[in-house]
Amino acid sequence: YLGCRFLSHQVFTHFLQLLFSIMSSIAKVHYYPAAGKANQIRLALAASGIPFEDKFAFSFPPSPEKRAEWIKLGGNTTTNVPMLQMDDKVYTQSAAVLRAVGRKGGMMPEGADDLYMTDKLIDDAEDLRQASYKCMISWGASQELADAYIAEVLPKHLGNLERQLKASEGIFFLGDKLTIADIAVYDVVARFCCDREPTALDEFAALKKFKEDVESNEGIAKYHASDQYAAIAKLTPASLGK
């Protein structure tokens, strides 16, 4: 009887250790319950098959307590989110975090030329994201600015991305393998363009097909169908006064 109790205690202890190990191995994304600048990181984790959970701040700006927590974790006295905890390390600055996930998940290309194009495409995507942030009606932007975004800004940026996609020899920007460059471009096209202006890709057939190809990735499709993804806020046409 005592032996059975001792064995049961050993099994239970081993179970707790295993459970703690599993929980510790789950990456944590610190951000708001919104797509925003963290979504490309979530997508890269999903495409890489790296399990993760969201750690939300439910107020914007964050409470002093949440801000202090972020500073303690990330170390930056400026900004820390989106922030990722992964493999007992903490990563900050969205583009740097995206690259860290890319290296961990095998989504970084090889070769100087492809690495340059990856950096360039991430910056191209960020240029469009920043232009999109400037015309949020809910943040005080004028309707005139929002209309100009639809008529002028979107065609210019989407045309530049389509040009580069057509130069690729595969279905993605750097061939037939999904990379973090594709994740960065997809996120800004889907969340900051199509979610806000559903007709955004009507004149850009290559980008429209590219968007479908990214969404067919097993990990991304699974994430998009999850309650986890449903829980985050996305932009809508109302952000452009529509």
Side-chain angles (χ1 to χ4, degrees):
Y1 174 74
L2 290 176
C4 290
R5 289 188 61 185
F6 177 72
L7 182 59
S8 297
H9 177 73
Q10 282 187 315
V11 171
F12 182 67
T13 301
H14 177 71
F15 170 76
L16 289 179
Q17 291 173 339
L18 181 60
L19 181 62
F20 178 77
S21 176
I22 293 172
M23 294 299 295
S24 299
S25 68
I26 295 177
K28 298 176 177 62
V29 178
H30 295 262
Y31 198 61
Y32 305 95
K37 298 185 73 171
N39 202 57
Q40 59 183 342
I41 296 166
R42 298 182 183 115
L43 291 171
L45 289 164
S48 299
I50 299 172
F52 70 96
E53 61 180 349
D54 289 295
K55 294 292 185 179
F56 293 139
F58 289 101
S59 64
F60 183 84
S63 67
E65 293 77 15
K66 179 59 72 172
R67 187 182 295 276
E69 176 189 336
W70 286 346
I71 291 174
K72 183 177 180 180
L73 281 172
N76 286 340
T77 56
T78 50
T79 183
N80 286 283
V81 297
M83 176 168 56
L84 176 68
Q85 287 179 277
M86 181 174 66
D87 297 336
D88 297 322
K89 295 181 181 179
V90 177
Y91 302 87
T92 63
Q93 298 289 5
S94 55
V97 176
L98 180 63
R99 289 178 175 88
V101 175
R103 288 187 289 269
K104 171 77 172 178
M107 297 183 67
M108 284 290 286
E110 298 178 356
D113 290 344
D114 282 353
L115 287 170
Y116 160 73
M117 283 302 300
T118 297
D119 289 340
K120 180 187 183 302
L121 287 162
I122 290 173
D123 284 346
D124 286 340
E126 185 60 22
D127 285 347
L128 178 49
R129 184 179 289 105
Q130 290 305 315
S132 185
Y133 275 132
K134 291 177 181 177
C135 60
M136 299 285 184
I137 295 292
S138 58
W139 292 0
S142 67
Q143 188 62 56
E144 181 181 7
L145 195 61
D147 291 343
Y149 175 75
I150 296 172
E152 302 169 17
V153 176
L154 276 181
K156 179 175 70 174
H157 284 271
L158 293 174
N160 185 49
L161 292 170
E162 175 123 330
R163 171 187 65 82
Q164 295 174 86
L165 179 59
K166 286 181 175 179
S168 172
E169 296 180 355
I171 63 173
F172 299 122
F173 277 88
L174 297 173
D176 286 323
K177 182 180 178 182
L178 188 70
T179 71
I180 59 168
D182 302 300
I183 295 294
V185 173
Y186 167 80
D187 179 58
V188 75
V189 167
R191 302 286 76 83
F192 288 83
C193 300
C194 296
D195 282 357
R196 304 186 73 193
E197 174 49 64
T199 66
L201 298 183
D202 282 1
E203 302 300 320
F204 302 98
L207 276 177
K208 190 172 185 178
K209 176 64 166 55
F210 162 81
K211 180 175 176 289
E212 294 170 355
D213 289 333
V214 174
E215 289 170 347
S216 70
N217 173 271
E218 182 179 357
I220 290 176
K222 182 178 179 180
Y223 173 60
H224 278 165
S226 69
D227 292 339
Q228 185 177 10
Y229 178 70
I232 64 173
K234 294 92 176 170
L235 294 170
T236 69
S239 68
L240 289 170
K242 303 297 184 181

